[in-house]
Amino acid sequence: MNKLLFGRFIPGNSVIHRLDPRNKLLLSFYYIGIIFLANNWLTYLVLFLFTILAVRLSNIKMSFFIRGVRPLIWLILFTVLLQVFFTRGGTTYWSWGPIVLSQFGIVNGVYIFMRFVLIIFMSTLLTLTTPPLSLADAIEAILKPLRIVHFPVYEVALMLSIALRFVPTLMDETEKIMNAQRARGVDFGEGNIFQQMRAVVPLLIPLFVSSFNRAEDLATAMEARGYQGGEGRSKYRILTWRAADNWAVIAFVLLTGILIWLRA
Amino acid sequence: MGITFQDVAYTYQAGTPFESQALHDINLTIADQSFTAIIGHTGSGKSTLVQHLNALLKPTSGTVTIGDRQITPETNNKNLKPLRQKVGMVFQFPENQLFEETVAKDIAFGPMNFGMSATDAAKKAAEMLDLVGLPAELLERSPFDLSGGQMRRVAIAGVLAMAPEVLILDEPTAGLDPAGRREIMGMVTRLHEQQKLTVVLITHHMEDVANYADHVIVMEHGTVAKVGQPSEIFQDVEWLQKRQLGVPETTEFAARLQKRGFKFTRLPLTEVELAAALLPQLPREAVSQPHDE
């Protein structure tokens, strides 16, 4: 459980760390969009270099990003293999019934692989350099226009930031209860599927109960501190747009231009 | 059942960028049938240490010997059940581990995991509830209807029901009122004396250490800083205070009296010892006078 890297934040003070989280979030989504512009070797090379540059700028070791890919490697390989063996076109090297190994298939497979890795790198970069609470703030800021259609932006933002805040607490709690039940002779992850499912009960029920208690305590504490709802509150953490954010946007515009120019 | 640590070190999340070493070169012995207290500042590695006592954590280097069983970094996780039965562990805020529909089922859960039949386990549950000082009518109640103190006693009963030879308690009295604290500590002492249990107690409460323990381990920054009897450990008031640990109030008071000219061959730990040491030093009139008034 502790080995999970997804959603982990590594404190730092690089250019990437200091970018406005709203900007980072939007640019990450934008990046996923423009990755589909790439359709030949040159465009993929440009994207690759751009991503590596962004990773370098964050001052975080490459190994972190590679570790981010690891949990998804089977999904990636599965997709790549499907592409490789079921695409026809170009020179056919080998075939057996519906399964073919063709030139197009191999090229497509490599493209898909690159796409996966690049997207994972960029989203890992986002989560590694942005504290979860800033991300929640960014999501709130981005959702704000939806108030016109009566979308409860403040409530969603509050739930999001509370949820994020309690993820590590709940993980600790899970660990503690697991250990307590292990000490009482429960084997987690052993035996057949039914035994394993039954072993989860002594973990799940205490977790739910303590979450209910925690929610009740938190609600009381919030009310006692004068919380009456999202509307009309001032903000403590204020997001600021700096010069570097402009440069980041310019870099992405240039990247888009280059991709459109180079694509076949 | 004795427990020995030999050059034990433990690192959390070893091999990741988030690794942190919690224990360094731990060498210690917990004697059979002893009452050992482990004290230390928050984050000194006490809880990590005790999780080695029943192999919930395996050392990243070194050897832990529990009875006749050796736990090394290479030990695999199979067949640890007999060990866990012999070493009962009461975690901090154990009331959070309750989950069954009734108190009886929850107490019986441990023994049944170790192969006891349902009828025997139910009998055992009734026995244990009595042992922790709760009335029998609670047996069929839901554990979630009980008060905090009662829940904690049910949780402790659930661990005792496994008939452990070693009982480990991680701050069993945290958050309890003075009466609850006395009851729990009284119960633990009774078990230690009558059933010859080896007790390991983690606490921040120095009075408990002075009153109950016969052996103290002081932890600091993941190492063992001092080992000895409570009477030895608490002599060096300044050394302990520098480590934000403190001494029993009685000892602190005696240390202040010592600065004002009273003499103690060794600083007393309890009120009784203090009174005995003070009595010969007081002027005769001061001792007899209160009765005249």
Side-chain angles (χ1 to χ4, degrees):
Chain A
M1 198 167 297
N2 287 328
K3 300 227 164 86
L4 203 66
L5 192 70
F6 179 74
R8 254 344 215 313
F9 163 64
I10 298 178
N13 196 23
S14 68
V15 188
I16 307 275
H17 278 91
R18 276 174 288 154
L19 284 181
D20 189 320
R22 289 171 295 186
N23 194 17
K24 268 192 272 187
L25 189 62
L26 286 178
L27 286 182
S28 304
F29 281 120
Y30 182 69
Y31 180 85
I32 294 173
I34 59 171
I35 227 169
F36 293 98
L37 283 177
N39 61 357
N40 59 15
W41 294 111
L42 210 51
T43 42
Y44 272 109
L45 183 70
V46 170
L47 271 175
F48 183 73
L49 291 178
F50 184 84
T51 311
I52 294 298
L53 177 74
V55 166
R56 287 265 76 141
L57 281 177
S58 72
N59 275 336
I60 294 173
K61 270 190 252 146
M62 200 64 197
S63 57
F64 278 86
F65 294 88
I66 292 167
R67 197 169 301 154
V69 175
R70 213 182 281 161
L72 293 173
I73 196 72
W74 293 113
L75 181 70
I76 298 174
L77 285 182
F78 179 69
T79 321
V80 167
L81 288 180
L82 277 187
Q83 281 289 331
V84 168
F85 287 115
F86 292 97
T87 311
R88 284 160 198 280
T91 327
T92 305
Y93 302 113
W94 176 78
S95 78
W96 184 73
I99 300 170
V100 287
L101 190 64
S102 70
Q103 190 188 353
F104 281 18
I106 292 173
V107 170
N108 260 347
V110 175
Y111 283 173
I112 295 270
F113 182 77
M114 285 285 282
R115 230 176 249 177
F116 264 116
V117 169
L118 289 178
I119 290 177
I120 293 169
F121 269 33
M122 210 38 126
S123 42
T124 312
L125 183 68
L126 173 74
T127 54
L128 285 182
T129 59
T130 321
L133 280 181
S134 300
L135 264 186
D137 284 348
I139 293 171
E140 180 184 0
I142 290 166
L143 288 181
K144 235 171 215 167
L146 288 181
R147 267 156 65 204
I148 302 167
V149 292
H150 299 293
F151 184 79
V153 174
Y154 292 116
E155 281 70 19
V156 169
L158 180 76
M159 281 196 282
L160 201 63
S161 39
I162 290 178
L164 285 172
R165 156 68 187 75
F166 279 101
V167 167
T169 315
L170 276 177
M171 298 250 282
D172 281 354
E173 179 111 13
T174 311
E175 187 88 34
K176 238 182 254 166
I177 296 173
M178 265 178 112
N179 275 340
Q181 306 297 25
R182 264 195 204 117
R184 293 214 279 169
V186 178
D187 293 317
F188 290 104
E190 276 175 35
N192 63 35
I193 184 102
F194 293 107
Q195 287 167 327
Q196 287 196 30
M197 267 155 57
R198 207 168 321 131
V200 172
V201 175
L203 175 64
L204 272 190
I205 292 178
L207 263 183
F208 271 112
V209 170
S210 85
S211 300
F212 282 132
N213 291 337
R214 208 186 290 279
E216 214 168 295
D217 289 349
L218 184 68
T220 313
M222 281 170 69
E223 255 177 41
R225 295 214 263 162
Y227 179 83
Q228 297 189 324
E231 214 77 32
R233 297 179 69 212
S234 56
K235 278 188 146 305
Y236 176 67
R237 292 185 304 268
I238 292 169
L239 306 175
T240 46
W241 189 278
R242 297 197 187 81
D245 291 296
N246 290 330
W247 287 114
V249 172
I250 290 170
F252 271 82
V253 170
L254 280 179
L255 177 69
T256 318
I258 294 172
L259 287 179
I260 291 173
W261 179 53
L262 287 178
R263 68 188 300 230
Chain B
M1 200 163 69
I3 296 173
T4 314
F5 280 60
Q6 199 182 356
D7 302 322
V8 170
Y10 185 77
T11 310
Y12 278 105
Q13 304 190 40
T16 76
F18 304 100
E19 72 172 28
S20 65
Q21 190 160 13
L23 297 178
H24 314 257
D25 314 317
I26 304 282
N27 282 295
L28 57 86
T29 306
I30 293 167
D32 194 21
Q33 299 184 15
S34 68
F35 195 128
T36 303
I38 301 181
I39 59 175
H41 195 234
T42 312
S44 56
K46 306 184 294 288
S47 296
T48 309
L49 181 80
V50 292
Q51 287 184 50
H52 282 83
L53 298 178
N54 69 348
L56 281 174
L57 296 179
K58 282 185 294 179
T60 34
S61 70
T63 313
V64 183
T65 313
I66 308 168
D68 49 10
R69 183 82 192 253
Q70 281 206 341
I71 307 287
T72 61
E74 292 80 33
T75 309
N76 76 24
N77 282 328
K78 295 261 158 23
N79 307 322
L80 288 175
K81 265 192 170 185
L83 190 72
R84 301 230 164 108
Q85 186 196 350
K86 281 184 189 157
V87 184
M89 178 107 155
V90 178
F91 281 82
Q92 268 172 51
F93 300 104
E95 53 272 30
N96 291 341
Q97 75 191 33
L98 301 176
F99 73 99
E100 281 281 15
E101 297 150 51
T102 65
V103 167
K105 279 188 189 172
D106 204 286
I107 299 177
F109 178 70
M112 281 168 69
N113 278 329
F114 294 116
M116 198 184 263
S117 73
T119 37
D120 286 352
K123 222 179 285 167
K124 189 92 185 173
E127 243 171 70
M128 288 303 132
L129 200 68
D130 184 50
L131 188 73
V132 296
L134 290 175
E137 63 253 33
L138 291 188
L139 272 178
E140 292 311 313
R141 292 265 291 278
S142 160
F144 300 109
D145 288 343
L146 307 181
S147 75
Q150 287 174 326
M151 280 169 83
R152 186 167 301 184
R153 276 190 261 175
V154 170
I156 295 177
V159 174
L160 290 175
M162 306 185 308
E165 293 171 30
V166 181
L167 182 64
I168 302 163
L169 302 128
D170 192 348
E171 295 189 48
T173 58
L176 288 185
D177 57 22
R181 170 190 297 276
R182 265 197 306 278
E183 278 171 36
I184 298 265
M185 286 314 299
M187 185 183 86
V188 172
T189 330
R190 223 168 45 237
L191 287 167
H192 171 62
E193 279 164 6
Q194 293 170 0
Q195 307 196 9
K196 303 286 176 224
L197 278 183
T198 310
V199 177
V200 179
L201 173 75
I202 294 187
T203 184
H204 287 292
H205 203 72
M206 298 306 150
E207 272 72 26
D208 287 349
V209 180
N211 288 329
Y212 304 111
D214 51 34
H215 185 65
V216 184
I217 296 168
V218 186
M219 298 281 298
E220 192 187 12
H221 304 309
T223 57
V224 175
K226 241 183 195 184
V227 178
Q229 290 177 350
S231 53
E232 295 161 7
I233 297 283
F234 288 131
Q235 291 310 306
D236 203 345
V237 178
E238 270 171 31
W239 185 88
L240 283 163
Q241 278 171 348
K242 213 182 285 169
R243 280 155 184 78
Q244 291 171 303
L245 286 172
V247 292
E249 276 178 36
T250 315
T251 313
E252 203 184 334
F253 183 60
R256 270 159 54 194
L257 285 177
Q258 201 171 29
K259 280 188 191 135
R260 299 283 184 93
F262 284 88
K263 290 190 178 53
F264 298 100
T265 41
R266 59 187 323 159
L267 290 173
L269 301 187
T270 59
E271 289 92 335
V272 182
E273 284 175 40
L274 176 68
L278 279 184
L279 200 59
Q281 298 187 47
L282 293 175
R284 243 160 197 275
E285 315 83 73
V287 179
S288 53
Q289 232 155 34
H291 298 287
D292 302 339
E293 279 172 32

